[in-house]
Structure formats: structure tokens, C-alpha cells
Amino acid sequence: MKTTFGSKSLNSTLAGPILLFVLLWLTACAEKKDETKTDETSVSQLDYPIQPVPFTSVAIKDNFWTPRLETNRKVTIPYNFQKCEETGRLRNFAIAGGLEEGDFEGIFFNDSDVFKVIEGASYSLQVHDDPQLKLFLDGLIAKIAAAQEDDGYLYTNRTINPAKAADGAGDQRWTNLQTYHELYNVGHLYEAAVAHFQATGERSLLEVALKNADLIDQVFGPGKNMGVPGHQEIEIGLVKLYRITGEKRYLDLAKFFIDQRGNAEGHNTKEGKYAGKYQQDHVPLAEQEEAVGHSVRAGYFYAGATDVAALTGETAFDVALDKIWDDIIHQKIYLTGGIGAEPKHEGFGPDYELPNATAYTETCAAIALMLWNHRMFLKSGDIKYMDVFERTLYNGFLAGVSLEGNTFFYPNPLEVDGVSKFNQGVCGRSPWFDCSCCPVNVVRILPSLPGYMYAVKDNAVYVNLYIGSETEIPLENGTLQLAQTTNYPWEGTVELEILNKKTIPAVLKLRVPGWARNQVMDGDLYHYKDHHYPAITISINDKTSDVPIKDGYITLDNNWMPNDKIHISFEMPIRKVVSHELVTTNKGKIALERGPLVYCAEQVDNPNGVLDLQIPLNEKLNYSYDPELLNGIGKIKGRTITAIPYYAWAHREIGEMSVWLKQKNML
């Protein structure tokens, strides 16, 4: 049955007893609306020094991103729900809740995929009213509520038929936390529930999440079950529940899971496929100095730990998180912002080991890295974290979903031969995967993008991403109303306009991107070959101004008048990038960038192939924008090469592709 948001399929989905259950469940939730405090101001005073402007306060109106968000809303969200339905992911909840009959279908952690799509759909509802999507979610949430056991346990793989549970433990719960994801699944439930509550004001999914979190809190903790999840995620979800409810025990439980990692008491930390370094469980976090193991697990772990540190005042993690970040950015990250070089464990390899053809660089890992870097920025205000965020956003992440919104990459290599089936058995983009964590993760990150653009501290507003938008930002002396207009990433011009009707004092901190500061990323893993510092100009109300850059930000402290306009221009030259000499796979090669975009060469544009293509040392390269190609993209062309943005590859003929290109006279 195809999942759409039309009335016919909805009637089918909600027919008979399920529809009755939906109505009863929604009525019960409405009656409970005021029973639990859900004011985010109820949390303690400890928090990130810098606060993000929430996605609910930012409206994106952008030539580049609006079409991608609309494709996510119109295509990717319904497509993911359809695939979840076709593969039994949705039906598992109905079966577990006694609404239908049947056996469990799929992988034991498939529940989490559904929660991620719900989270993305909820973000989308916040910015675009969609009654049919809302009704579909109501029905789906009712199935999830029905699947929840009386004490709050939610894991359809066991509930449907304990005798066939994947862990072989029958009715016994939590017997193999390393592998079977009982805690990982519900972490995504918590994130979805908070997003749904924020978007709709309704408690239907939040009640399910709170009931489950209360059970987890009863089972786990000091003097109780001392285990930790094999795949980190619940820590992030618990922090979000704490923020929305003010219940400190959720924050305490998140801290327990962070603290307990690497502590042998109560759980197995022996080296093995699903233990030890693979899941960052080899030593306590405070003693860790390098990034090891599965890269998605690691990114979620570091993000959750950064949350806990900010909200509790815990300082024991700070040195470790800084060392781990340095280890990744200085030695283990790809030019695209991808992480995880090793396919065998989907994770980090040795220092400077960054093979291009076998790069795993999972889309989910790019997402995890973005989540962590945003948190590190909020904690420190250091621009280097948003440099990594932007690089990953436009390259390592965005490549993971097609322009059409219905095919995906699981790994994101930087070189392909046009033959090898690198993408989970496919040479090119795939419509789905047995383990489809990446497609459903893309669904939730794209519509949450507005929440990463702006941040505030006291009377200072950070503009971290240049994306056309309008926002309202509460400050000490009023609310700043700000509009941003730009054609980024194709052009480096940005205009900011004050929309307030009265004068308002504010400090605007406008991020100068790393590429505009002649820095690829922090450290010396990569550098621009020409060492050129792009020109930066700024004018206020058409009057040229000095460019007061402090800590990487153009800082403008002013009493802003209605309709004041700030115009910034970042020169966007074509840049040649070279790697550290210890990255042997890139010896004698260059990569091309322009603005925040990494470029690649595809065989469809270079008929003789690209793996053996050699660019002359003094080849003249030109940039042009082609509005007809791939929904409009910038191209870099020379006598011997044509290159397009990495995010846009694999939309035409299958063939060779490479980011790193041989250069004559460098061998």
C-alpha cells in the first residue's frame, strides 16, 4: 500500500479499530495536556553560553536551500514513510499493539527509522501547515502508543513475539545492550517526541516518550543496571526531554550513560566487534584522547557529552573533547567534511589514512559531526567549529540525498571507478537500503537547518550561515528583526536588513568563512596552494566601512535604525587544495574548491575519464554558473577539465568520479 497524504490512503491507514484507537488516544492526550510542565524555561540556569535561535524563529527564503527543503517536504518525507510502510516498519507497531496480526519484519532497530522520519515531518509541519501530513502522523503515533507496553517499554522486535526476539533472550530485556539497540531506538523516539510537541503543541508522542524515559530511569543508574547503550543516541534524546520538561532526572540519566562508558562495572568492555574501542567503551571519556571506532556512534557520543557538560557544569570532559576534535580535524577528516575511513567497521582509521576510493564517510557520520560541532560552537564561540559545520553541510552531508529527493548515498567516497558497487551493492545512488539509517536521517536534518543559522549571547547575534531568511531574535533590549538575502554558495555577496520599526541596539557578529580567511579547516591537514586571502568588503547603508574582524567574525556594534542595510562581499576565487604530505593517497594531487563547495570531476563531463586525468600546473580555470544543469550549478572549467560541486555528482551517467586530481609536475 503506497503511503501518501491523500484522503484515500489515509482512510485505508486509519480504517476500523485503528481509527477508533486514534480518536480515543488523542482525546486522552488532550485531557493530560497540562499535567506535566513543559516550559523550557524551567530548566536550570546552567546552559550553553551561546544559545541557538530555534528553528521555529527562522524562515528560510533562499534560492539554494528553499528548493531542497521543499523537495524534502514534498518528496523525501512521504517517500520515506512509503518505504517504511513497504518494509513493515510501520506495521510492526500495529502488530505489537494488537491492531493487526503478523510477525516482526526487518532489522531489530527499524523502530528508530520511523522515529527519525516523524522528527523530520514534525520540523516540516512547523514551517508548512499540512493537514494531511498531520492526520497521518496522528494515526502513526496512535500505533506507536498501542505498541508501548504497560510499563513504558517500547521495542517491537520483542513485544510482537518474545520467542523470536533478535537477541534470543525471550521476555528478558536489556541482556545485550552492545548489539540490540533497545536504548538507541528510544533515543530517537525522544527527539521525535520533542520535535512533534514543539511543532504541534500536542502531547500524544511526548507522553509515549516520557513513559518510556521513566522506565529507563527506573531500570538504569547507580545501584541498578549499570549498562550502557551499544550505540549512543539516548543521551541526546534525554537532554532534549530535560529541556522540554525541566525534569533533572533525565539529565542525570544522560550523564550516567556518559560517565559509565569505559567503566567495567556492570557491563562488558572487552575488545570485540561490538565492544571496546568500536563503541568508545574502552576507557572513560575523560581519559580518551583520540577518535576511535564507529564514527556515527562517536559523533553522537561526543555531541551528547558536550550537552551534558554544558548543562551540568561538568568540566571533566572538556580536555578529552578538545583532544578528540583536534585528532579528527587535524588527521582524520576528509576534505568534504566526511569522517570514517574504514569500511570494515564504518569508522576511524589510523592518522592520515584517508583513502578516497574506499572512504566510508557515512552520511549519518556527517550528520553526527555537524551536531557535535554546532554544540562545540555554542559552548566556546570558536569559529572553527562552524567552519567544519558549513563544510560538512554543503559537501559530506548534502551529497547523501539526490536532487530529486528519493535516492541516497550510504557511504560517500571521494573517488569511484564507475564499476565497483560501493553504495551497499549499487554503483550510484540507491532508492533504499536494508539498513536505511541514512535516508531517514537526512529527512530530519534538512528541515531543522534553520536552527543552526543564528545564535545569540546577551546582546550579540551570531550570523553563522549565509542563507536567505527572516528571523526574530530576542535580545536584552528588545527583539531584533533581521532579513538576510544572498545567492550563496554561488556568490559571496550577502545583504542584511534591519526590519524593526524602532531603533534597537545590537552587536552583529558576521562569520567570515574559513575559505575566506585562507583556511581550509583548523590545522594543517589541508591548505590552499596559492595562500591567497580573498578580499572582503562591507558597507552600511551604501557607505563603505572598515572590516573589523575579531576572532573570525566581522563585529558591528550599533544602534540599528529601521531599514538599515549591511552589505558584505566575500571574494570567491577558485582554490587549489593540497593535503599534508603524510596523506600519501593524495600525493601529487590537488582538489578544487570555490566558496564552501568542494568540486569533483565526473566522466560524463570528461569523456576520457578522470582517474588518470592530469591537470597542467598552470592550467587556467574559469568559473561559470549554468542555470540549466542539475537545477542550476556552478562549474569550473579549464582546457583539460570540467568539474561540478561534489554534492551534485551521480545524477547523470554512471562513470568515474574523483575529488583529488593528478597534477602534472607534482609527481
Side-chain angles (χ1 to χ4, degrees):
M1 176 177 59
K2 183 178 181 180
T3 300
T4 66
F5 304 132
S7 59
K8 183 176 180 180
S9 62
L10 280 169
N11 288 338
S12 174
T13 302
L14 303 179
I18 298 180
L19 177 58
L20 177 60
F21 187 90
V22 172
L23 296 174
L24 293 174
W25 170 249
L26 291 175
T27 300
C29 289
E31 291 173 349
K32 296 179 71 174
K33 185 172 183 178
D34 297 323
E35 288 184 9
T36 302
K37 189 172 185 179
T38 52
D39 181 358
E40 291 191 64
T41 62
S42 64
V43 301
S44 72
Q45 294 302 307
L46 286 172
D47 208 335
Y48 285 107
I50 301 171
Q51 286 292 299
V53 175
F55 78 97
T56 53
S57 297
V58 181
I60 288 181
K61 301 177 180 180
D62 186 77
N63 293 334
F64 183 85
W65 284 106
T66 296
R68 299 306 296 260
L69 297 184
E70 278 295 282
T71 297
N72 190 70
R73 180 180 71 85
K74 294 179 178 179
V75 177
T76 316
I77 289 174
Y79 178 81
N80 271 257
F81 274 135
Q82 175 187 333
K83 299 304 289 187
C84 284
E85 188 170 54
E86 290 174 357
T87 56
R89 285 166 166 83
L90 304 188
R91 189 164 176 262
N92 284 338
F93 290 104
I95 296 170
L99 303 174
E100 296 183 25
E101 295 182 355
D103 294 325
F104 179 86
E105 294 183 57
I107 306 172
F108 51 85
F109 53 84
N110 276 359
D111 291 357
S112 67
D113 292 342
V114 178
F115 300 144
K116 281 184 271 189
V117 187
I118 291 175
E119 182 184 353
S122 298
Y123 291 137
S124 187
L125 276 179
Q126 173 63 36
V127 298
H128 190 282
D129 185 41
D130 189 333
Q132 292 179 321
L133 174 58
K134 172 64 169 56
L135 184 59
F136 181 85
L137 286 181
D138 288 345
L140 178 54
I141 291 169
K143 292 180 183 180
I144 294 170
Q148 187 170 40
E149 297 187 21
D150 290 343
D151 64 354
Y153 187 73
L154 183 56
Y155 186 66
T156 64
N157 180 258
R158 190 182 316 283
T159 300
I160 289 174
N161 186 346
K164 293 183 178 180
D167 61 8
D171 290 320
Q172 291 183 282
R173 305 167 177 174
W174 335 112
T175 61
N176 189 337
L177 295 173
Q178 291 178 358
T179 305
Y180 289 101
H181 291 2
E182 287 161 287
L183 299 179
Y184 167 81
N185 281 2
V186 297
H188 281 298
L189 165 67
Y190 303 164
E191 291 205 74
V194 170
H196 183 261
F197 175 77
Q198 290 174 326
T200 67
E202 297 179 2
R203 302 180 53 86
S204 52
L205 191 59
L206 184 62
E207 291 294 340
V208 175
L210 295 175
K211 187 175 181 180
N212 179 268
D214 290 344
L215 172 66
I216 303 299
D217 185 51
Q218 293 168 17
V219 172
F220 291 88
K224 296 178 281 188
N225 189 322
M226 300 290 283
V228 296
H231 195 311
Q232 299 90 321
E233 158 61 20
I234 194 173
E235 302 86 351
I236 295 173
L238 283 166
V239 168
K240 288 191 175 183
L241 287 184
Y242 161 67
R243 285 186 178 280
I244 208 74
T245 66
E247 286 284 351
K248 188 173 179 295
R249 55 198 173 91
Y250 298 144
L251 178 61
D252 292 341
L253 186 56
K255 186 175 187 300
F256 165 79
F257 285 133
I258 299 292
D259 287 337
Q260 185 63 7
R261 206 157 210 91
N263 182 338
E265 180 185 358
H267 62 101
N268 179 13
T269 58
K270 295 179 181 179
E271 291 290 342
K273 185 177 180 182
Y274 297 112
K277 289 185 177 181
Y278 175 81
Q279 55 191 38
Q280 300 79 43
D281 196 21
H282 52 303
V283 295
L285 174 58
E287 300 174 21
Q288 296 187 29
E289 297 184 347
E290 61 177 345
V292 296
H294 189 268
S295 55
V296 183
R297 284 170 165 84
Y300 286 168
F301 180 36
Y302 307 146
T306 306
D307 274 343
V308 168
L311 290 165
T312 64
E314 176 62 76
T315 60
F317 306 149
D318 291 351
V319 172
L321 290 171
D322 287 341
K323 286 183 177 179
I324 292 168
W325 190 89
D326 286 347
D327 181 58
I328 294 173
I329 305 305
H330 297 174
Q331 299 166 131
K332 294 176 178 174
I333 191 170
Y334 283 88
L335 186 64
T336 56
I339 55 173
E342 296 286 349
K344 61 185 178 182
H345 64 264
E346 302 180 352
F348 297 103
D351 294 348
Y352 301 106
E353 186 177 291
L354 295 166
N356 294 311
T358 59
Y360 203 71
T361 51
E362 184 179 338
T363 301
C364 285
I367 289 169
L369 186 68
M370 289 162 59
L371 296 177
W372 181 34
N373 272 273
H374 185 244
R375 286 162 167 80
M376 292 290 277
F377 162 76
L378 297 175
K379 196 168 186 295
S380 68
D382 198 319
I383 198 169
K384 66 184 181 182
Y385 300 115
M386 290 309 298
D387 287 343
V388 173
F389 184 99
E390 180 183 69
R391 175 169 294 274
T392 309
L393 172 67
Y394 279 97
N395 302 289
F397 163 73
L398 194 57
V401 57
S402 67
L403 295 168
E404 297 82 8
N406 58 6
T407 54
F408 310 90
F409 281 140
Y410 197 112
N412 292 274
L414 280 72
E415 176 184 303
V416 298
D417 61 11
V419 178
S420 302
K421 297 180 179 180
F422 66 90
N423 190 26
Q424 301 290 319
V426 176
C427 182
R429 298 179 181 273
S430 176
W432 197 246
F433 309 99
D434 289 339
C435 172
S436 250
C437 53
C438 294
V440 297
N441 225 350
V442 166
V443 161
R444 73 187 183 116
I445 295 302
L446 276 171
S448 69
L449 178 60
Y452 299 101
M453 293 172 54
Y454 302 95
V456 62
K457 180 181 181 182
D458 302 325
N459 220 41
V461 173
Y462 293 82
V463 181
N464 278 322
L465 296 176
Y466 294 113
I467 298 174
S469 56
E470 292 185 3
T471 182
E472 295 188 357
I473 305 172
L475 300 176
E476 293 176 334
N477 299 308
T479 297
L480 176 68
Q481 297 172 292
L482 187 67
Q484 181 182 165
T485 305
T486 183
N487 199 28
Y488 201 86
W490 310 121
E491 298 175 9
T493 56
V494 182
E495 183 177 271
L496 299 168
E497 182 177 3
I498 307 300
L499 301 181
N500 294 67
K501 297 187 180 302
K502 295 181 179 179
T503 301
I504 182 169
V507 180
L508 297 182
K509 299 177 74 68
L510 315 177
R511 175 176 156 267
V512 179
W515 58 265
R517 305 194 316 273
N518 193 41
Q519 186 175 52
V520 179
M521 282 181 279
D522 188 73
D524 64 355
L525 184 57
Y526 305 103
H527 68 270
Y528 294 118
K529 193 169 181 288
D530 59 9
H531 301 290
H532 171 69
Y533 282 82
I536 303 171
T537 60
I538 184 170
S539 65
I540 300 175
N541 296 328
D542 296 325
K543 294 182 179 180
T544 302
S545 172
D546 293 334
V547 184
I549 299 177
K550 182 180 180 181
D551 299 325
Y553 284 89
I554 299 170
T555 303
L556 304 174
D557 187 350
N558 203 353
N559 289 316
W560 299 102
M561 303 286 289
N563 305 121
D564 274 351
K565 292 182 179 179
I566 303 119
H567 186 274
I568 319 160
S569 179
F570 300 110
E571 182 190 7
M572 264 193 186
I574 298 167
R575 310 300 297 272
K576 295 179 180 179
V577 183
V578 294
S579 298
H580 192 287
E581 61 181 7
L582 293 179
V583 184
T584 57
T585 190
N586 293 337
K587 185 177 181 180
K589 296 180 178 180
I590 62 166
L592 301 177
E593 291 188 359
R594 185 177 181 274
L597 297 174
V598 175
Y599 280 69
C600 69
E602 281 192 286
Q603 190 169 0
V604 65
D605 298 313
N606 303 273
N608 293 327
V610 300
L611 301 186
D612 293 321
L613 183 151
Q614 294 191 18
I615 303 176
L617 183 62
N618 296 317
E619 171 108 334
K620 181 176 175 58
L621 299 174
N622 297 296
Y623 170 81
S624 63
Y625 181 78
D626 186 342
E628 302 301 322
L629 181 61
L630 299 173
N631 296 342
I633 61 168
K635 296 189 296 185
I636 294 175
K637 296 191 70 172
R639 184 176 58 82
T640 62
I641 184 176
T642 297
I644 66 168
Y646 175 76
Y647 80 79
W649 83 277
H651 283 92
R652 296 171 291 169
E653 298 174 15
I654 293 176
E656 296 177 358
M657 181 281 292
S658 188
V659 168
W660 291 97
L661 304 163
K662 296 176 183 178
Q663 183 158 31
K664 288 183 180 180
N665 303 322
M666 287 185 66
L667 299 176

